[in-house]
Amino acid sequence: MSEAMEFEPLEELEVARLAAQVAERGYAVAENLIPDELREALVEGIDRAMHEFEIPYGDNEFLGHCTRRIFNLLARDRLFETTPTFCRTLPVIERVLDDECLLSSLTAIEMNPGQARQPLHADDGSYGFPRPSPTFVALAIWALTDFTAENGGTHIVPGSQGRDRRPNRGDEVDAIQVEMPAGSVLFYNGSIWHGGGENRTDARRVGIVNNYCAGFLRQEESQILALSRERVAAFEPRLRRLVGYGTYRGLIGHVDQRSPEALVDPEIDSDMVWKRIHR
């Protein structure tokens, strides 16, 4: 993939429309967001990483006995730096959360033939806040291959982000199955009940899950420990802040009254809360 390639961002009206759907029903689907050149490069990068790091299959029904997951993608290949800040997806996430959100995790998922349906769950389920709650977690699943009813397209319970509990095994729910062509993106509220479908085909289903959280929450993956400072120093500024080398509202996460971004860029002019206080 050409490093110089640029992509047209989403129009403001489309960003607002998708964010409104996430707020109202808990999810939104947008087709043709990921250009073929980028999508194909990401699939090739995932295949390389699967081989290089000898990624195993899951060992329980949640991870999937016929599914492989590459966690901590940003540490695997610089190619994956493209996805968290992508101009056609991050603006929607920022509208759902805010522009000081964090990248909670970045995971590639390869669901292979024979994979059973995943139990329903909510991706913000490990946080202890009461339900329903404001939106603190939002995700964008990139479909790198077609997502169909036959190959395990994601099951979603519309509106379930407004319920007062997480799903339980055996719940009878009115779920829909998201079908979308390769290059599409599924945006959703982290409280919505969902789960991967059953792959009844002879082909794999491949995607990347971009998981974001509010800037004051602990990330699902400890990005600051998972990524070397040398790697982070090479990131663009927005990606640095997304992985945790920044502060929330100029205070939360500071290091000696400076943004942690100064650890990888000493020349950075941190907009800290102390500078805003009238003297």
Side-chain angles (χ1 to χ4, degrees):
M1 185 183 69
S2 171
E3 293 185 2
M5 189 172 183
E6 296 184 359
F7 306 105
E8 288 292 328
L10 280 186
E11 294 184 358
E12 172 62 22
L13 285 177
E14 181 65 1
V15 171
R17 184 185 72 83
L18 292 168
Q21 286 187 353
V22 173
E24 178 182 353
R25 63 185 188 181
Y27 75 98
V29 176
E31 297 185 0
N32 302 314
L33 288 196
I34 309 166
D36 285 342
E37 182 179 0
L38 174 58
R39 181 180 59 80
E40 291 166 3
L42 290 169
V43 172
E44 291 175 3
I46 289 169
D47 287 342
R48 283 196 306 271
M50 288 284 186
H51 176 75
E52 179 180 353
F53 298 103
E54 299 180 340
I55 302 300
Y57 289 94
D59 60 2
N60 58 53
E61 66 172 347
F62 184 84
L63 294 176
H65 296 289
C66 298
T67 294
R68 296 192 292 177
R69 299 168 188 261
I70 309 176
F71 297 100
N72 194 24
L73 276 182
L74 289 175
R76 310 290 189 172
D77 192 316
R78 294 206 59 184
L79 168 68
F80 300 115
E81 295 172 22
T82 310
T83 65
T85 59
F86 191 54
C87 62
R88 297 180 183 175
T89 52
L90 182 58
V92 178
I93 296 295
E94 290 179 332
R95 184 66 62 89
V96 172
L97 297 173
D98 64 29
D99 61 5
E100 294 188 281
C101 62
L102 293 170
L103 180 69
S104 190
S105 62
L106 186 65
T107 308
I109 300 179
E110 176 197 73
M111 178 189 290
N112 289 286
Q115 176 57 54
R117 181 171 172 176
Q118 186 184 41
L120 287 175
H121 61 283
D123 285 335
D124 64 0
S126 294
Y127 294 110
F129 37 76
R131 297 170 184 276
S133 70
T135 305
F136 295 135
V137 175
L139 298 93
I141 296 182
W142 289 29
L144 301 184
T145 59
D146 293 342
F147 278 39
T148 69
E150 290 74 29
N151 75 2
T154 305
H155 291 266
I156 277 184
V157 182
S160 55
Q161 76 278 5
R163 300 194 181 189
D164 61 1
R165 63 177 178 86
R166 292 178 291 174
N168 297 316
R169 185 180 293 275
D171 278 336
E172 294 186 6
V173 295
D174 293 324
I176 64 166
Q177 195 165 9
V178 175
E179 297 188 82
M180 54 184 178
S184 303
V185 175
L186 167 63
F187 299 96
Y188 63 96
N189 183 315
S191 293
I192 204 167
W193 299 9
H194 71 286
E198 177 185 1
N199 189 344
R200 302 186 299 274
T201 72
D202 58 1
R204 64 180 181 166
R205 193 208 76 180
V206 182
I208 290 180
V209 180
N210 297 262
N211 185 335
Y212 303 84
C213 66
F216 51 83
L217 290 180
R218 184 169 184 174
Q219 294 146 288
E220 187 174 290
E221 289 183 326
S222 183
Q223 306 282 347
I224 288 180
L225 293 178
L227 301 166
S228 69
R229 287 189 185 176
E230 292 75 20
R231 175 63 67 93
V232 175
F235 288 172
E236 62 170 295
R238 184 68 185 100
L239 184 56
R240 290 178 190 167
R241 295 192 297 274
L242 274 173
V243 300
Y245 280 77
T247 60
Y248 184 75
R249 297 189 176 177
L251 176 62
I252 298 174
H254 77 87
V255 178
D256 290 332
Q257 293 187 295
R258 296 195 70 190
S259 168
E261 192 171 6
L263 297 174
V264 294
D265 183 2
E267 302 302 318
I268 194 74
D269 183 19
S270 305
D271 180 25
M272 304 302 294
V273 67
W274 295 279
K275 293 183 179 181
R276 308 172 198 166
I277 298 174
H278 180 70
R279 297 182 185 278

